[in-house]
């Protein structure tokens, strides 16, 4: 197993015995690490507006609540569901669908003429990536802080999913992006749900 399931590559380092020994403050602080995801600027702004709405509606939203915290909450909720038990094949299907929808390259097929000999030609189909105007949209970079143990748990789970991923590779960064964009898509389609907002607020308070 040589795949890296995040930029930090924690699982491989553990298996190779390359992890740094944890000191006292690592245990106190939870040995925090950072991962960065990239998303379209509109989706970034939509998330910012959702958070602003939370502050406007509720008086007890904790200070420091931002997109990074929201994405971390979505990831922690995902891990909780995994720990409770989920069918790996179904979760793999969710990730493959999300990767195709949010991270997949759009390609088109065109036919080109290829010379077989000096006087004989044949046509073959090739795929080319489509560069649309929307692909030129400004990107936003969101850095999320989380415990090393949370990242490692996700890497192990993604490795367990390997037989169900149809030879596609999914990283923790991919997972975080899919979870966030699924959430944003839900907001786009259904608007700000009072139930969702209260659920997030409850999670925030319990994390304090």
């Amino acid at each position: 197993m040589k795949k890296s399931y995040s930029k930090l590559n924690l699982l491989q380092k553990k298996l190779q015995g390359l992890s740094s020994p944890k000191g006292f403050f690592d245990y106190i602080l939870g040995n925090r690490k950072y991962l960065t995801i990239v998303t379209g600027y509109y989706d970034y702004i939509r998330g910012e507006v959702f958070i602003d709405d939370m502050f406007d509606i509720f008086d007890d939203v904790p200070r420091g609540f931002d997109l990074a915290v929201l994405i971390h909450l979505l990831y922690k909720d995902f891990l909780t569901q995994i720990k409770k038990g989920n069918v790996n094949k179904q979760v793999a299907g969710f990730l493959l669908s999300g990767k195709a929808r949010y991270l997949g390259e759009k390609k088109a097929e065109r036919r080109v003429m290829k010379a077989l000999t000096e006087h004989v030609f044949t046509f073959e189909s090739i795929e080319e990536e489509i560069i649309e105007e929307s692909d030129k949209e400004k990107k936003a970079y969101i850095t999320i802080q989380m415990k090393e143990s949370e990242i490692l748990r996700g890497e192990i789970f993604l490795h367990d999913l390997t037989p169900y991923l149809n030879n596609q590779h999914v990283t923790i960064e991919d997972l975080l992006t899919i979870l966030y964009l699924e959430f944003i898509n839900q907001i786009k389609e259904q608007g700000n749900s009072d139930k969702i907002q209260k659920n997030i607020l409850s999670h925030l308070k319990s994390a304090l």
Side-chain angles (χ1 to χ4, degrees), residues 43-98:
D43 293 314
Y44 169 80
I45 293 174
R46 189 63 189 85
E48 290 277 277
V49 169
F50 174 82
I51 289 173
D52 286 342
D53 290 345
M54 288 275 295
F55 277 106
D56 289 341
I57 294 171
F58 302 101
D59 296 326
D60 51 350
V61 177
R63 291 184 179 181
F65 178 47
D66 57 14
L67 277 186
V69 174
L70 173 62
I71 296 169
H72 189 199
L73 283 177
L74 295 174
Y75 179 67
K76 288 176 67 176
D77 187 58
F78 177 83
L79 289 184
T80 298
Q81 297 305 315
I82 296 306
K83 292 173 183 177
K84 289 180 177 178
N86 277 274
V87 179
N88 283 1
K89 189 173 182 180
Q90 293 178 351
V91 180
F94 164 76
L95 293 179
L96 289 176
S97 175

Side-chain angles (χ1 to χ4, degrees), residues 6-204:
S6 79
K7 290 292 179 63
L8 298 175
N9 202 14
L10 297 181
L11 181 55
Q12 281 295 329
K13 290 178 180 178
K14 288 283 186 182
L15 292 174
Q16 296 170 17
L18 299 177
S19 299
S20 301
K22 292 183 173 64
F24 174 74
F25 287 105
D26 289 325
Y27 286 104
I28 296 296
L29 301 176
N31 202 8
R32 300 282 173 168
K33 300 292 183 182
Y34 297 87
L35 292 176
T36 300
I37 67 170
V38 183
T39 186
Y41 203 67
Y42 175 81
D43 293 314
Y44 169 80
I45 293 174
R46 189 63 189 85
E48 290 277 277
V49 169
F50 174 82
I51 289 173
D52 286 342
D53 290 345
M54 288 275 295
F55 277 106
D56 289 341
I57 294 171
F58 302 101
D59 296 326
D60 51 350
V61 177
R63 291 184 179 181
F65 178 47
D66 57 14
L67 277 186
V69 174
L70 173 62
I71 296 169
H72 189 199
L73 283 177
L74 295 174
Y75 179 67
K76 288 176 67 176
D77 187 58
F78 177 83
L79 289 184
T80 298
Q81 297 305 315
I82 296 306
K83 292 173 183 177
K84 289 180 177 178
N86 277 274
V87 179
N88 283 1
K89 189 173 182 180
Q90 293 178 351
V91 180
F94 164 76
L95 293 179
L96 289 176
S97 175
K99 187 173 182 180
R101 183 173 187 178
Y102 302 117
L103 305 174
E105 296 177 346
K106 297 179 180 179
K107 296 185 177 181
E109 185 177 271
R110 72 180 178 92
R111 296 180 67 79
V112 296
M113 190 166 61
K114 179 181 178 182
L116 294 180
T117 67
E118 184 178 354
H119 302 292
V120 180
F121 295 86
T122 186
F123 286 91
E124 67 175 13
S125 297
I126 65 171
E127 284 189 335
E128 289 187 329
E129 183 178 352
I130 300 174
I131 301 178
E132 300 178 341
E133 287 301 315
S134 59
D135 294 328
K136 298 178 182 178
E137 179 190 4
K138 182 179 177 182
K139 299 295 183 181
Y141 295 80
I142 307 171
T143 299
I144 302 106
Q145 182 190 74
M146 62 181 72
K147 294 179 181 178
E148 179 180 308
S149 59
E150 293 172 333
I151 301 172
L152 180 60
R153 180 67 184 88
E155 288 194 21
I156 290 172
F157 178 69
L158 290 176
H159 176 65
D160 292 344
L161 287 187
T162 299
Y164 308 101
L165 290 175
N166 299 333
N167 296 317
Q168 293 200 48
H169 185 53
V170 179
T171 65
I172 297 295
E173 288 88 347
D174 293 335
L175 172 56
L176 292 170
T177 305
I178 291 169
L179 291 174
Y180 174 63
L181 294 181
E182 271 289 312
F183 176 82
I184 290 299
N185 191 58
Q186 184 179 0
I187 298 301
K188 290 178 185 176
E189 292 179 351
Q190 303 176 15
N192 289 351
S193 164
D194 182 65
K195 181 179 179 180
I196 291 176
Q197 290 176 327
K198 288 181 178 179
N199 186 44
I200 290 174
L201 184 58
S202 175
H203 277 63
L204 284 169

